[in-house]
């Protein structure tokens, strides 16, 4: 029988076709595996919108008396606190009324002084038996009436001064101003509003992409980003 001798080409071909594990004497297949952790991530969907911001809770600021707007103390859309001055009223009519009320206070003060002096004289005369109790009581009554008139005049002046400086009725945002310096306003005229920024609602139209459906999303939380109004003075600071 003829023997076939292996050639160099045959040995090289056998080496290429044989797995390394067989050549090394390992006949077991490899069982190496790797585990991959799948993580979930929340994502947000931003949608363009167009609409208006409406206040649910606001207080109207009105003029308590007539006059001319001489000063506006707060900038539009600024935060104010209850009692902060918002507007000052002035003009010829306001000054004339102030002069009148101030004159009444001074006149009532002079009447109180005169009644006090008269009462002191009556008391002295009664001690010297030059007067009687009826005149003394009359002097006391006159003094009491003068004091009441002084109190009423003083209160009227204070009420007038409070009316011509209009203050914020509540905490909130000073907005919707409808008057300007130099404008004359009548009693009851609406000047502005003070809005509670924590109680607002937004009426808007959404513009989602074509493949996004909004059906079934009612009740889900949404974050609304409003355009920021930059004040020129604050931007320079």
């Amino acid at each position: 029988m003829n023997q076939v001798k292996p050639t160099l080409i045959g040995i090289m071909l056998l080496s290429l076709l044989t797995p390394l594990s067989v050549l090394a004497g390992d006949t077991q297949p490899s069982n190496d595996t790797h585990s991959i952790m799948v993580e979930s991530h929340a994502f947000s969907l931003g949608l363009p919108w167009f609409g208006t911001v409406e206040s649910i809770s606001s207080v109207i600021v009105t003029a308590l008396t007539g006059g001319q707007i001489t000063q506006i103390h707060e900038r539009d859309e600024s935060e104010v606190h209850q009692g902060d001055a918002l507007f000052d009223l002035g003009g010829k009519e306001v000054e004339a009324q102030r002069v009148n009320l101030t004159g009444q206070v001074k006149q009532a003060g002079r009447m109180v002084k005169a009644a006090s002096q008269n009462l002191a004289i009556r008391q002295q005369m009664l001690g010297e038996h030059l007067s009687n109790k009826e005149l003394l009581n009359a002097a006391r009554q006159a003094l009491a009436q003068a004091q009441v008139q002084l109190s009423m005049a003083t209160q009227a002046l204070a009420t007038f001064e409070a009316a011509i400086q209009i203050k914020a009725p509540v905490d909130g945002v000073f907005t919707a101003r409808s008057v300007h310096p130099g404008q004359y306003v009548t009693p009851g005229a609406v000047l502005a509003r003070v809005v509670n920024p924590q109680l607002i609602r937004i009426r808007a139209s959404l513009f989602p992409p074509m493949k996004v459906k909004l059906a079934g999303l009612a009740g889900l939380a949404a974050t609304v980003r409003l355009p920021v109004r930059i004040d020129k003075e604050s931007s320079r600071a």
Side-chain angles (χ1 to χ4, degrees):
M1 180 181 291
N2 296 330
Q3 294 181 353
V4 179
K5 296 182 180 179
T7 63
L8 179 60
I9 296 177
I11 294 175
M12 292 179 63
L13 181 61
L14 179 62
S15 299
L16 292 175
L17 296 178
T18 303
L20 294 177
S21 59
V22 175
L23 294 177
D26 186 4
T27 59
Q28 297 297 326
S30 176
N31 292 326
D32 293 340
T33 58
H34 299 280
S35 299
I36 300 176
M37 299 298 296
V38 179
E39 297 181 358
S40 62
H41 295 276
F43 65 94
S44 59
L45 176 64
L47 301 178
W49 62 278
F50 177 82
T52 58
V53 180
E54 300 176 354
S55 171
I56 299 177
S57 175
S58 65
V59 178
I60 298 175
V61 179
T62 60
L64 300 179
T65 187
Q68 188 178 21
I69 301 291
T70 58
Q71 185 173 359
I72 301 176
H73 291 274
E74 299 290 343
R75 298 190 302 270
D76 295 342
E77 315 304 331
S78 62
E79 182 179 357
V80 296
H81 299 284
Q82 184 178 10
D84 289 348
L86 301 179
F87 301 95
D88 283 346
L89 297 180
K92 294 182 179 180
E93 294 182 3
V94 170
E95 292 303 322
Q97 190 171 358
R98 178 187 280 117
V99 170
N100 181 34
L101 293 174
T102 302
Q104 293 181 17
V105 172
K106 292 180 179 180
Q107 177 64 23
R110 289 191 291 266
M111 292 177 62
V112 169
K113 183 179 180 180
S116 298
Q117 292 174 349
N118 183 47
L119 178 60
I121 293 173
R122 291 299 175 183
Q123 289 174 339
Q124 183 179 359
M125 293 178 65
L126 182 63
E128 297 175 355
H129 303 286
L130 299 176
S131 183
N132 53 47
K133 291 185 178 180
E134 288 77 8
L135 294 176
L136 179 62
N137 291 334
R140 287 174 177 170
Q141 185 176 1
L143 176 59
Q145 291 177 352
Q147 289 174 337
V148 170
Q149 292 180 359
L150 176 60
S151 177
M152 293 176 60
T154 303
Q155 183 62 38
L157 179 59
T159 301
F160 171 76
E161 294 291 349
I164 62 176
Q165 184 175 78
I166 304 167
K167 299 181 179 181
V170 294
D171 295 348
V173 175
F174 176 65
T175 186
R177 178 172 59 87
S178 58
V179 294
H180 53 80
Q183 180 177 344
Y184 182 85
V185 296
T186 57
V190 177
L191 308 181
R193 289 177 179 269
V194 176
V195 173
N196 185 346
Q198 303 300 324
L199 298 175
I200 61 174
R201 64 185 177 187
I202 299 175
R203 294 181 180 270
S205 298
L206 302 179
F207 302 94
M210 295 184 62
K211 294 183 180 181
V212 175
K213 296 182 179 180
L214 300 181
L217 299 182
L220 295 181
T223 300
V224 180
R225 290 183 172 86
L226 301 177
V228 179
R229 182 173 179 173
I230 300 175
D231 188 82
K232 292 183 179 179
E233 295 183 4
S234 61
S235 63
R236 296 193 192 103

